[in-house]
Amino acid sequence: MDINPEILNRFFKGTYSHKDYLEVKSVFSNLGGRASLKSYLEKHWGEFSAQDMPRGNADQLLHQIHHKIRIEEETGRGYRFIGTFQKVAAVLIIPLLLSFLAFVYLQVNKGAGDIEKQSIGFAEIQCPPGVRTKFELPDGTTGFLNSGSSLRYPVNFTNGRNVTVSGEAYFDVFHDKANPFVVETQNLKVKVLGTRFNVMAYKDDYCEEVILNRGKVEVATQQGQKLDLLEPNQKLVLDIGNGTFKTNEVEAYQYVGWTEGKLIFRNENMLQVAERLGRWYNVDFKIDDKGLVDYAFRATFVDESLKEVLKLMALTAPFTYKELPRDIVDGTFQKRKFVLKIDKERLKSFK
């Protein structure tokens, strides 16, 4: 391979420089280096695995390594992907690399076994609270993760395009008729070929939602029970507690505006608004007056601060808001908290 063995030695020992890192990365991104590594892998595979390497799987293994580098760079974690290697004091650099590739191969090709044992063949994108993250998957599918969400997917889609979502995600799926795209949540499976849709499945919520923007999607339970085939501008809501669901006609853009930095409310009550604002700005709300829940809101906000949003909303409904002092636990500030109350002095003018 066209790389200095001393650089590889430092790389696997964890004593590399930024320049060394770029050299190693170039092996996977450069076609010449990739071809050399593939040839070496195919020639010496028998020394590291008792199984025969099926035709084409050397490309698959190299793709996984290269894609892992891409993911780590896009998420800004630098060299974290070689953390496993840093714990190993390499004597024979190339055999160590091949052993790792053999391990990836064996784990990825075990089939539908223990997920934890196959975890090396998967990548996960996590979106911190109060942030929205754009992503691109290996098959060309793109999308966004909303605040406090995560997306787990195979680094290679050869054996299926199944991904797992916790939280809220928007997908623009690359069309592949022979290989359906499946989004799994804790309770649902959404099967598509090529379309745009939104999935909301936060762990602590009482329901899960699928909103279709374009195309068609088939929604089923994790047990395989088909629930509905959605058309554009339809929303399916599954009640987790009793297992029932309903499908409604909606304005889909209202639910996917967050991908463009827009907060869109269309006749949503205060409870729904507080929930969405809480996730958007990573804050907690307490509604002191039950009567306040009955007020509906219709508005669109773009790049507004939380206090500006609350100020503007208070012009259309009789309520006041107050930020509480922030709690400190183990020396760390907790999330901001707001209390919402009915403004009795203004209440009469809204009747």
Side-chain angles (χ1 to χ4, degrees), residues 276-289:
R276 291 182 59 192
L277 286 177
R279 290 194 178 120
W280 189 268
Y281 293 102
N282 191 30
V283 301
D284 286 332
F285 285 99
K286 179 183 178 183
I287 301 176
D288 264 5
D289 299 298

Side-chain angles (χ1 to χ4, degrees), residues 98-258:
L98 293 179
S99 295
F100 172 73
L101 292 175
F103 180 64
V104 172
Y105 167 78
L106 294 174
Q107 293 296 324
V108 171
N109 288 277
K110 279 184 179 179
D114 185 356
I115 293 298
E116 289 302 317
K117 292 181 180 178
Q118 298 183 59
S119 61
I120 195 168
F122 288 78
E124 182 168 339
I125 303 173
Q126 295 185 344
C127 183
V131 176
R132 285 153 295 285
T133 301
K134 186 176 181 179
F135 61 81
E136 179 176 356
L137 300 181
D139 66 334
T141 292
T142 60
F144 293 85
L145 283 178
N146 209 345
S147 170
S149 304
S150 65
L151 172 67
R152 188 172 186 268
Y153 63 94
V155 294
N156 189 291
F157 277 6
T158 303
N159 298 317
R161 299 195 293 168
N162 286 53
V163 305
T164 303
V165 169
S166 176
E168 185 172 13
Y170 173 80
F171 293 91
D172 187 351
V173 179
F174 177 78
H175 183 79
D176 184 352
K177 186 176 182 179
N179 195 9
F181 191 92
V182 178
V183 176
E184 296 191 34
T185 66
Q186 188 172 356
N187 299 280
L188 295 174
K189 287 186 178 180
V190 184
K191 182 179 179 181
V192 305
L193 294 176
T195 186
R196 295 178 181 176
F197 63 102
N198 196 79
V199 175
M200 186 182 295
Y202 284 96
K203 289 183 179 180
D204 298 331
D205 276 4
Y206 68 91
C207 68
E208 293 188 1
E209 300 179 2
V210 179
I211 301 99
L212 183 60
N213 183 259
R214 187 185 71 183
K216 290 184 179 181
V217 298
E218 178 185 294
V219 185
T221 67
Q222 277 291 342
Q223 292 71 39
Q225 177 189 356
K226 181 179 175 181
L227 300 182
D228 207 347
L229 183 66
L230 299 186
E231 301 284 346
N233 290 311
Q234 286 188 329
K235 177 177 76 168
L236 182 146
V237 180
L238 172 70
D239 188 312
I240 298 173
N242 58 32
T244 61
F245 76 93
K246 60 181 179 180
T247 301
N248 298 323
E249 301 292 327
V250 297
E251 298 175 358
Y253 75 89
Q254 169 187 351
Y255 297 91
V256 302
W258 63 268

